[in-house]
Amino acid sequence: MRALVLPASGEQPTFAELPVPTPGAGEVLLRVRAAALNPLDNHIAAGALEQMFEHRYPLVLGRDASGVVEAVGEGVDDVAVGDEVLGHVLFEPPFQAGTVAEYAIVPARTVVPKPADLDHVTAAALPLAGGAARMVVDAINPQPGQVVLVNGASGGVGRYAVQLLSQLGLTVVATAAPADAERLRELGATEVVDFTAGSVAEQVRTAHPDGVDALINLAGYTLAEVPLDAVRSAGVVCTTTQVPDADTLAARQLSGGGVIASPTRDVIAPLAEQAAKGELQVDVYRVLPLDQAPDGLAELAAGRARGKIVVDLSL
Ligand SMILES: NC(=O)c1ccc[n+]([C@@H]2O[C@H](COP(=O)([O-])OP(=O)(O)OC[C@H]3O[C@@H](n4cnc5c(N)ncnc54)[C@H](OP(=O)(O)O)[C@@H]3O)[C@@H](O)[C@H]2O)c1
């Protein structure tokens, strides 16, 4: 099978011909129809997680897939060969399986039937970004009437997070460059703050002098990039970039910390159902053939991600 791989530690992503893998116990082999790209793929390609988890090479890139069940491993009896499904490669060691390939192994506990009304490209765009959005929204435990700031709202995770918060009736303050402002309002943002126009925290404090109740942080890898000063005393912060950490928050009389998404079936299935019913918008802004997957990763790394980039294996 053709796959986008890291051949060895420190090497650049490249295409390789690999044997079609055999699913082990609790695993499902998919014939991949579509695979979404995520910043995590670039982090793995850069070797940023090598100290955290064992990496086995060649390592196939990609975590999200929609496709057709080709084979199931021992103990998997809830999906059958030929089923159209979505699945996800969880953030668990060892890192080796991936979805930017003609076939992919995914844990059965992430596999859900693809609703008939959802095409493969749209379905593939859901698991990690949608799962992370679900997790950060749940993590802040939002209460009726609260104001929530979403920093990095214009990206893959943010577009889902804004919608999930809006569905709860919260006031959603979203950060975005001007080109994305209108779309974020359509997705449910009450206010949009232009992060290219100066300090986000200062802009938010102008409109909300007492500060927002919670911050969902989806952008920025240094403390200076995170608009913590926008959050009121005793507010809650949840971050997917792992900045700031819980100690930094506690020192500022804030609670919360980093989350690692674990989009298993219970998380993915409701997102897929919502998307199929049109209750959750899925912004896929670029669809690429397999050969151009590296261009998609480069585009994601460069910023300006206006939703999801998806590799379509049928192109
Ligand atoms: N912990 C987890 O489990 C988990 C899960 C998923 C994602 N993540 C992480 O969460 C982050 C977001 O993921 P994603 O998939 O949404 O990424 P993405 O699609 O690349 O989106 C990132 C967004 O941040 C915006 N942005 C860039 N600089 C900004 C700034 N200074 N202020 C506000 N917004 C800014 C970008 O806007 P422009 O395009 O206009 O620059 C882009 O829309 C990434 O760091 C990713 O690795 C973690």
Side-chain angles (χ1 to χ4, degrees):
M1 69 169 189
R2 191 163 163 75
L4 182 64
V5 305
L6 296 178
S9 177
E11 293 191 7
Q12 291 299 306
T14 186
F15 285 101
E17 280 296 327
L18 300 178
V20 174
T22 304
E27 293 179 337
V28 175
L29 176 68
L30 300 185
R31 181 156 53 84
V32 179
R33 296 287 302 276
L37 303 181
N38 289 284
L40 177 59
D41 303 319
N42 280 322
H43 299 326
I44 293 171
L49 301 169
E50 263 193 310
Q51 304 303 318
M52 186 186 293
F53 285 151
E54 180 192 355
H55 288 35
R56 291 186 190 159
Y57 300 95
L59 185 160
V60 183
L61 292 171
R63 317 299 285 186
D64 292 330
S66 182
V68 181
V69 175
E70 184 77 11
V72 298
E74 194 188 322
V76 178
D77 50 16
D78 41 8
V79 288
V81 171
D83 286 357
E84 296 198 299
V85 298
L86 307 64
H88 176 75
V89 179
L90 291 163
F91 195 83
E92 291 176 351
F95 279 7
Q96 182 166 39
T99 60
V100 183
E102 289 170 315
Y103 294 88
I105 296 277
V106 292
R109 66 188 196 279
T110 72
V111 173
V112 304
K114 182 182 75 60
D117 293 341
L118 212 55
D119 61 80
H120 283 290
V121 166
T122 308
L126 282 168
L128 183 53
R134 177 79 268 161
M135 194 164 180
V136 290
V137 169
D138 290 349
I140 63 166
N141 188 25
Q143 302 300 310
Q146 286 192 326
V147 181
V148 181
L149 170 62
V150 183
N151 186 48
S154 48
V157 179
R159 286 170 195 245
Y160 294 127
V162 165
Q163 293 179 74
L164 297 175
L165 291 164
S166 169
Q167 287 167 7
L168 296 172
L170 300 157
T171 297
V172 185
V173 183
T175 65
D180 294 314
E182 189 181 336
R183 179 60 182 153
L184 283 168
R185 284 200 183 87
E186 287 170 1
L187 295 176
T190 323
E191 302 160 30
V192 179
V193 171
D194 179 359
F195 69 82
T196 68
S199 161
V200 167
E202 283 175 21
Q203 294 182 68
V204 172
R205 281 278 179 176
T206 301
H208 302 273
D210 296 334
V212 298
D213 299 295
L215 164 66
I216 286 176
N217 186 62
L218 310 171
Y221 295 99
T222 65
L223 197 52
E225 294 172 284
V226 179
L228 268 193
D229 290 340
V231 187
R232 68 164 166 79
S233 179
V236 187
V237 177
C238 182
T239 176
T240 59
T241 69
Q242 311 309 321
V243 178
D245 60 24
D247 290 344
T248 305
L249 293 174
R252 292 178 178 233
Q253 283 73 53
L254 300 171
S255 61
V259 297
I260 300 288
S262 182
T264 45
R265 179 181 295 139
D266 54 317
V267 177
I268 299 172
L271 294 169
E273 290 302 328
Q274 266 198 299
K277 286 188 213 150
E279 295 167 5
L280 185 72
Q281 302 295 309
V282 180
D283 281 1
V284 174
Y285 88 105
R286 198 170 304 293
V287 181
L288 299 169
L290 180 58
D291 282 351
Q292 291 176 24
D295 301 341
L297 289 176
E299 188 171 3
L300 202 51
R304 298 301 313 133
R306 307 183 71 182
K308 299 297 297 175
I309 302 176
V310 180
V311 176
D312 183 343
L313 278 285
S314 71
L315 295 178

